[in-house]
Amino acid sequence: MYYRNAQAAVVVYDVTKAASLEKAKTWVKELQRQANPNIVIALAGNKIDLVQPSPSASTSGATTESEDEADDATATPGEATTTAAEAENLRQVPREEAQAYAQEAGLLFFETSAKTGEGVVEVFTEIAKNIPIEHILASSRGAAGRPGSAANRNGTQEAVNLDPNQAKGRDACNC
């Protein structure tokens, strides 16, 4: 794993395999021990599409022909619908367990699906919001380790603001 000068890391485990969370915990420990002390770490439980009942399984059997055609058009060939009971049987890592670990270890926590894209944007958005701006500036300007480079002019830490509607300061870039 390469993490030299990394400002953030995403550690991913499979919600359908308990051993993957244990392996993820070892990666988190290594990052906390060896990486930048201010690194933002996100723990992401992946494959939630496998542990959530499919929308077609939760509806009643009375569907119209046009609804069936829409489902067929977007379904993956050979993909079976999952009932709520089947979905829960596939989950080996309870959300509460992983979330409690993440909170205890000071990590951001998410559940995602790489297949459907659910939760992926949120992971990266929250990471960006949690990286202090001075760390980004220091690493991009080579100012790491210089006195005064870890805070703004007032001595306070600033985070990255992703709000496009926020008024820009007089020294701000308009790009």
Side-chain angles (χ1 to χ4, degrees):
M1 173 169 55
Y2 183 81
Y3 45 80
R4 181 190 217 166
N5 297 325
Q7 299 299 316
V10 181
V11 178
V12 182
Y13 70 94
D14 181 343
V15 299
T16 67
K17 295 181 181 168
S20 70
L21 178 60
E22 295 309 311
K23 186 67 175 173
K25 288 178 181 181
T26 64
W27 287 115
V28 168
K29 284 180 191 168
E30 179 167 338
L31 285 165
Q32 290 172 331
R33 217 177 35 248
Q34 301 290 334
N36 172 350
N38 298 312
I39 192 169
V40 175
I41 305 172
L43 180 66
N46 194 35
K47 298 190 180 179
I48 59 168
D49 54 286
L50 297 178
V51 299
Q52 294 174 336
S54 64
S56 59
S58 63
T59 60
S60 66
T63 58
T64 66
E65 191 174 318
S66 63
E67 287 177 14
D68 287 339
E69 288 173 9
D71 288 344
D72 291 343
T74 58
T76 302
E79 182 177 40
T81 58
T82 308
T83 66
E86 290 169 336
E88 277 308 308
N89 288 339
L90 286 174
R91 181 184 279 271
Q92 289 186 9
V93 181
R95 178 184 177 92
E96 297 77 21
E97 176 187 334
Q99 196 166 20
Y101 165 72
Q103 185 172 7
E104 176 183 310
L107 314 175
L108 300 175
F109 176 75
F110 303 91
E111 284 197 333
T112 63
S113 169
K115 181 177 180 179
T116 66
E118 182 178 346
V120 175
V121 171
E122 290 81 3
V123 171
F124 292 100
T125 301
E126 286 304 310
I127 287 172
K129 287 179 181 176
N130 281 275
I131 297 174
I133 196 164
E134 58 276 356
H135 291 267
I136 295 169
L137 295 174
S139 66
S140 68
R141 294 181 184 157
R146 275 199 334 228
S149 66
N152 68 12
R153 293 177 191 139
N154 301 329
T156 60
Q157 286 198 343
E158 293 180 40
V160 175
N161 188 334
L162 300 176
D163 182 6
N165 298 322
Q166 181 185 10
K168 295 186 176 20
R170 73 168 202 248
D171 296 332
C173 174
N174 286 319
C175 51

